[in-house]
PDB file of all heavy atoms in Angstrom:
ATOM      1  N   LYS P  73       2.566  -2.002 -20.872  1.00  0.00           N
ATOM      2  CA  LYS P  73       1.996  -1.873 -19.524  1.00  0.00           C
ATOM      3  C   LYS P  73       2.602  -2.921 -18.601  1.00  0.00           C
ATOM      4  O   LYS P  73       1.894  -3.688 -17.922  1.00  0.00           O
ATOM      5  CB  LYS P  73       0.471  -1.961 -19.581  1.00  0.00           C
ATOM      6  CG  LYS P  73      -0.138  -0.793 -20.348  1.00  0.00           C
ATOM      7  CD  LYS P  73      -1.654  -0.870 -20.423  1.00  0.00           C
ATOM      8  CE  LYS P  73      -2.164   0.315 -21.263  1.00  0.00           C
ATOM      9  NZ  LYS P  73      -3.611   0.229 -21.514  1.00  0.00           N
ATOM     10  N   SER P  74       3.908  -2.917 -18.590  1.00  0.00           N
ATOM     11  CA  SER P  74       4.662  -3.864 -17.786  1.00  0.00           C
ATOM     12  C   SER P  74       5.635  -3.109 -16.891  1.00  0.00           C
ATOM     13  O   SER P  74       6.239  -2.105 -17.309  1.00  0.00           O
ATOM     14  CB  SER P  74       5.421  -4.809 -18.723  1.00  0.00           C
ATOM     15  OG  SER P  74       6.350  -5.584 -18.013  1.00  0.00           O
ATOM     16  N   PHE P  75       5.812  -3.600 -15.686  1.00  0.00           N
ATOM     17  CA  PHE P  75       6.635  -2.893 -14.692  1.00  0.00           C
ATOM     18  C   PHE P  75       7.285  -3.938 -13.790  1.00  0.00           C
ATOM     19  O   PHE P  75       6.792  -4.246 -12.706  1.00  0.00           O
ATOM     20  CB  PHE P  75       5.732  -1.949 -13.892  1.00  0.00           C
ATOM     21  CG  PHE P  75       6.447  -1.096 -12.873  1.00  0.00           C
ATOM     22  CD1 PHE P  75       7.433  -0.202 -13.254  1.00  0.00           C
ATOM     23  CD2 PHE P  75       6.111  -1.172 -11.526  1.00  0.00           C
ATOM     24  CE1 PHE P  75       8.077   0.592 -12.320  1.00  0.00           C
ATOM     25  CE2 PHE P  75       6.742  -0.379 -10.578  1.00  0.00           C
ATOM     26  CZ  PHE P  75       7.730   0.502 -10.985  1.00  0.00           C
ATOM     27  N   SER P  76       8.412  -4.485 -14.206  1.00  0.00           N
ATOM     28  CA  SER P  76       9.047  -5.548 -13.428  1.00  0.00           C
ATOM     29  C   SER P  76      10.124  -4.980 -12.523  1.00  0.00           C
ATOM     30  O   SER P  76      10.719  -3.932 -12.808  1.00  0.00           O
ATOM     31  CB  SER P  76       9.632  -6.618 -14.355  1.00  0.00           C
ATOM     32  OG  SER P  76      10.614  -6.038 -15.195  1.00  0.00           O
ATOM     33  N   LEU P  77      10.375  -5.684 -11.430  1.00  0.00           N
ATOM     34  CA  LEU P  77      11.376  -5.282 -10.428  1.00  0.00           C
ATOM     35  C   LEU P  77      12.522  -6.277 -10.449  1.00  0.00           C
ATOM     36  O   LEU P  77      12.299  -7.483 -10.318  1.00  0.00           O
ATOM     37  CB  LEU P  77      10.754  -5.253  -9.034  1.00  0.00           C
ATOM     38  CG  LEU P  77      11.723  -4.985  -7.872  1.00  0.00           C
ATOM     39  CD1 LEU P  77      12.215  -3.535  -7.911  1.00  0.00           C
ATOM     40  CD2 LEU P  77      11.044  -5.284  -6.533  1.00  0.00           C
ATOM     41  N   LYS P  78      13.724  -5.772 -10.592  1.00  0.00           N
ATOM     42  CA  LYS P  78      14.910  -6.622 -10.545  1.00  0.00           C
ATOM     43  C   LYS P  78      15.674  -6.338  -9.266  1.00  0.00           C
ATOM     44  O   LYS P  78      15.973  -5.177  -8.947  1.00  0.00           O
ATOM     45  CB  LYS P  78      15.820  -6.386 -11.749  1.00  0.00           C
ATOM     46  CG  LYS P  78      17.009  -7.339 -11.799  1.00  0.00           C
ATOM     47  CD  LYS P  78      17.792  -7.239 -13.103  1.00  0.00           C
ATOM     48  CE  LYS P  78      18.810  -6.133 -13.062  1.00  0.00           C
ATOM     49  NZ  LYS P  78      19.727  -6.172 -14.231  1.00  0.00           N
ATOM     50  N   ILE P  79      15.952  -7.409  -8.530  1.00  0.00           N
ATOM     51  CA  ILE P  79      16.747  -7.300  -7.303  1.00  0.00           C
ATOM     52  C   ILE P  79      18.066  -7.985  -7.566  1.00  0.00           C
ATOM     53  O   ILE P  79      18.109  -9.200  -7.842  1.00  0.00           O
ATOM     54  CB  ILE P  79      16.030  -7.959  -6.110  1.00  0.00           C
ATOM     55  CG1 ILE P  79      14.614  -7.379  -5.944  1.00  0.00           C
ATOM     56  CG2 ILE P  79      16.846  -7.756  -4.832  1.00  0.00           C
ATOM     57  CD1 ILE P  79      13.781  -8.083  -4.870  1.00  0.00           C
ATOM     58  N   SER P  80      19.138  -7.234  -7.492  1.00  0.00           N
ATOM     59  CA  SER P  80      20.477  -7.778  -7.718  1.00  0.00           C
ATOM     60  C   SER P  80      21.132  -8.096  -6.382  1.00  0.00           C
ATOM     61  O   SER P  80      20.807  -7.498  -5.353  1.00  0.00           O
ATOM     62  CB  SER P  80      21.334  -6.767  -8.477  1.00  0.00           C
ATOM     63  OG  SER P  80      20.726  -6.392  -9.687  1.00  0.00           O
ATOM     64  N   ASP P  81      22.044  -9.077  -6.401  1.00  0.00           N
ATOM     65  CA  ASP P  81      22.782  -9.438  -5.190  1.00  0.00           C
ATOM     66  C   ASP P  81      21.817  -9.635  -4.013  1.00  0.00           C
ATOM     67  O   ASP P  81      21.925  -8.979  -2.963  1.00  0.00           O
ATOM     68  CB  ASP P  81      23.808  -8.338  -4.875  1.00  0.00           C
ATOM     69  CG  ASP P  81      24.699  -8.674  -3.699  1.00  0.00           C
ATOM     70  OD1 ASP P  81      24.900  -9.874  -3.429  1.00  0.00           O
ATOM     71  OD2 ASP P  81      25.185  -7.733  -3.038  1.00  0.00           O
ATOM     72  N   SER P  82      20.869 -10.525  -4.192  1.00  0.00           N
ATOM     73  CA  SER P  82      19.826 -10.733  -3.187  1.00  0.00           C
ATOM     74  C   SER P  82      20.409 -11.000  -1.806  1.00  0.00           C
ATOM     75  O   SER P  82      21.390 -11.744  -1.650  1.00  0.00           O
ATOM     76  CB  SER P  82      18.945 -11.921  -3.602  1.00  0.00           C
ATOM     77  OG  SER P  82      18.284 -11.660  -4.808  1.00  0.00           O
ATOM     78  N   GLN P  83      19.772 -10.406  -0.810  1.00  0.00           N
ATOM     79  CA  GLN P  83      20.211 -10.579   0.577  1.00  0.00           C
ATOM     80  C   GLN P  83      19.068 -11.180   1.393  1.00  0.00           C
ATOM     81  O   GLN P  83      17.902 -11.048   1.037  1.00  0.00           O
ATOM     82  CB  GLN P  83      20.631  -9.216   1.143  1.00  0.00           C
ATOM     83  CG  GLN P  83      21.783  -8.585   0.378  1.00  0.00           C
ATOM     84  CD  GLN P  83      22.133  -7.193   0.863  1.00  0.00           C
ATOM     85  OE1 GLN P  83      21.542  -6.673   1.805  1.00  0.00           O
ATOM     86  NE2 GLN P  83      23.111  -6.582   0.212  1.00  0.00           N
ATOM     87  N   LEU P  84      19.448 -11.809   2.513  1.00  0.00           N
ATOM     88  CA  LEU P  84      18.428 -12.459   3.344  1.00  0.00           C
ATOM     89  C   LEU P  84      17.347 -11.462   3.782  1.00  0.00           C
ATOM     90  O   LEU P  84      16.180 -11.818   3.913  1.00  0.00           O
ATOM     91  CB  LEU P  84      19.091 -13.099   4.568  1.00  0.00           C
ATOM     92  CG  LEU P  84      20.035 -14.266   4.266  1.00  0.00           C
ATOM     93  CD1 LEU P  84      20.668 -14.790   5.556  1.00  0.00           C
ATOM     94  CD2 LEU P  84      19.321 -15.404   3.542  1.00  0.00           C
TER      95      LEU P  84
END
Side-chain angles (χ1 to χ4, degrees):
Chain P
K73 295 180 182 173
S74 169
F75 183 60
S76 61
L77 174 70
K78 185 171 85 170
I79 306 174
S80 304
D81 185 26
S82 297
Q83 299 176 2
L84 294 178

